[in-house]
């Protein structure tokens, strides 16, 4: 028996990047994965790869900026044991240049969708005896990066929600945790991230699998007594950055 056999995992933003790697990691541990995102073609590719590797998955298209779509995703996902709130959007630049539309998209994708999905699914996990919610935050929640203000605020909100929900749902057996990646090689061109290498103690940029393995740990029995935590997955970046001048 694999450690997540018989469990269903919903992974938002699993058509690419960290979410895609997470879908593979959870499927490899035996979970049936509900892959979701807006791009049906990429979603189908993820499902096909999981199935080709002997796993189980299906795709549900949904736009997390649309609350009705989120409600439909909840209905179509059915019983969920592991919820990974991974999808996120970021607009970066001088704060005064962030449009209301960009601001709303960051809040809606990074906070409201996490709130809607967790409050719909954590109570049903509780009714069935337990579950695990893993939210994807960011090192930007902790570091005051210029040009990161709104994005960082949404990710700080994710950390706060994580702690509050760990307290709220823990007595019913639902664990709620977060991971806080530093820069990860996904949709951002690798050249743009190279500047982080010399200030990262482990001297490289993360791969999506560096993050997905920690998410899989939090989803499974090895993480059975971890709740309310936000685990940095950043090669030591946030721990060390403040000391760089010395
Ligand atoms: N990459 C990094 O350096 C980094 C660092 C720290 C934290 N993070 C966080 O990690 C998470 C994943 O990041 P990533 O770099 O893997 O992202 P990515 O490669 O840009 O992929 C984003 C995913 O989110 C989905 N998505 C975006 N907008 C959506 C919407 N409106 N409705 C539904 N799905 C939507 C996309 O699917 P579709 O295109 O199919 O809709 C895609 O699967 C995010 O929360 C991000 O903030 C990333």
């Amino acid at each position: 028996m694999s450690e997540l056999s018989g469990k269903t995992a919903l992974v938002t933003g699993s058509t690419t990047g960290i979410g895609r790697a997470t879908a593979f990691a959870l499927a490899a541990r035996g979970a049936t994965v509900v892959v979701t995102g807006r791009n049906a073609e990429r979603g189908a590719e993820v499902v096909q790869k999981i199935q080709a590797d002997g796993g189980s998955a299906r795709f549900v298209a949904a736009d997390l900026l649309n609350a009705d779509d989120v409600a439909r995703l909840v209905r179509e996902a059915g019983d969920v044991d592991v919820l990974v709130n991974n999808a996120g959007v970021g607009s970066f630049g001088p704060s005064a240049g962030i449009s209301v539309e960009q601001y709303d998209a960051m809040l809606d994708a990074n906070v409201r969708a996490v709130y809607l999905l967790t409050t719909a699914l954590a109570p049903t996990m509780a009714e069935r005896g337990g579950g695990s919610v893993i939210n994807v935050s960011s090192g930007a929640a902790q570091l005051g990066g210029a040009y990161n203000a709104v994005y960082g605020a949404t990710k700080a909100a994710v950390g706060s929600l994580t702690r509050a929900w760990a307290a709220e749902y823990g007595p019913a057996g639902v664990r709620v945790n977060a991971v806080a990646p530093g820069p990860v090689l996904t949709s951002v061109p690798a050249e743009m991230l190279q500047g982080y290498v010399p200030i990262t103690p482990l001297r490289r940029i993360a791969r999506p699998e560096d993050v997905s393995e920690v998410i899989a740990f939090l989803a499974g029995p090895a993480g059975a007594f971890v709740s309310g935590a936000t685990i940095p997955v950043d090669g030591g970046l946030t721990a060390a950055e403040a000391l760089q001048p010395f």
Side-chain angles (χ1 to χ4, degrees), residues 12-20 36-40 42-43 59 62-66 85-90 92 109-110 136-140 151 155 179-188 193 205 208 211:
T12 68
S14 43
T15 55
T16 188
I18 295 167
R20 177 177 185 266
T36 184
R38 295 161 301 179
N39 189 309
R42 289 205 308 262
F59 176 70
D63 182 351
L64 298 181
L65 298 183
N66 180 324
N85 285 308
N86 164 76
V89 299
F92 306 100
N110 301 356
V136 179
S137 179
S138 168
Y151 175 78
K155 293 302 189 178
V179 293
V184 184
L185 290 165
T186 58
S187 52
V188 179
L193 302 177
I205 304 300
V211 183

Side-chain angles (χ1 to χ4, degrees), residues 6 25 37 43 58-59 66 101 103 110 125-126 141 144 178 212 221 227 238 244:
R58 62 194 167 90
F59 176 70
N66 180 324
E101 290 74 21
Y103 176 95
N110 301 356
M125 291 179 191
S212 61
S227 197
T238 49
Q244 285 309 307

